[in-house]
Amino acid sequence: SPMSSNRDPGLQIFISILSKNASLDEAREAFVSTIENLASQPPTAEEVERAKASVLKPLELSFTDSTRLALDL
């Protein structure tokens, strides 16, 4: 059953940041195409690790700064 697997069917958030002169239509097309193809072309282990590191590193650094941590609380 799907619920017995180790996969979390949780929320996914995807963003795209464009320069002022970028084509919104082209970006939208690439964005939607990439998301639609995730099932058939999943990210590599290296890509997943790079994404994890880009999220976790700033978080870890914020915990080492007690002033910042106090302000965030």
Side-chain angles (χ1 to χ4, degrees):
S1 100
M3 296 306 288
S4 65
S5 72
N6 290 330
R7 296 182 181 179
D8 180 3
L11 174 68
Q12 299 294 314
I13 298 174
F14 300 92
I15 63 169
S16 181
I17 299 172
L18 307 176
S19 64
K20 288 182 180 182
N21 60 350
S23 166
L24 184 56
D25 290 334
E26 287 178 18
R28 182 181 295 117
E29 184 177 319
F31 190 78
V32 170
S33 174
T34 300
I35 293 169
E36 288 176 343
N37 291 325
L38 279 176
S40 63
Q41 299 172 354
T44 65
E46 179 182 318
E47 290 170 322
V48 171
E49 288 305 313
R50 191 171 53 243
K52 283 182 184 178
S54 73
V55 170
L56 293 176
K57 186 66 174 177
L59 183 62
E60 291 170 357
L61 290 174
S62 72
F63 288 137
T64 62
D65 181 352
S66 59
T67 303
R68 176 73 182 176
L69 183 58
L71 290 172
D72 287 344
L73 293 175

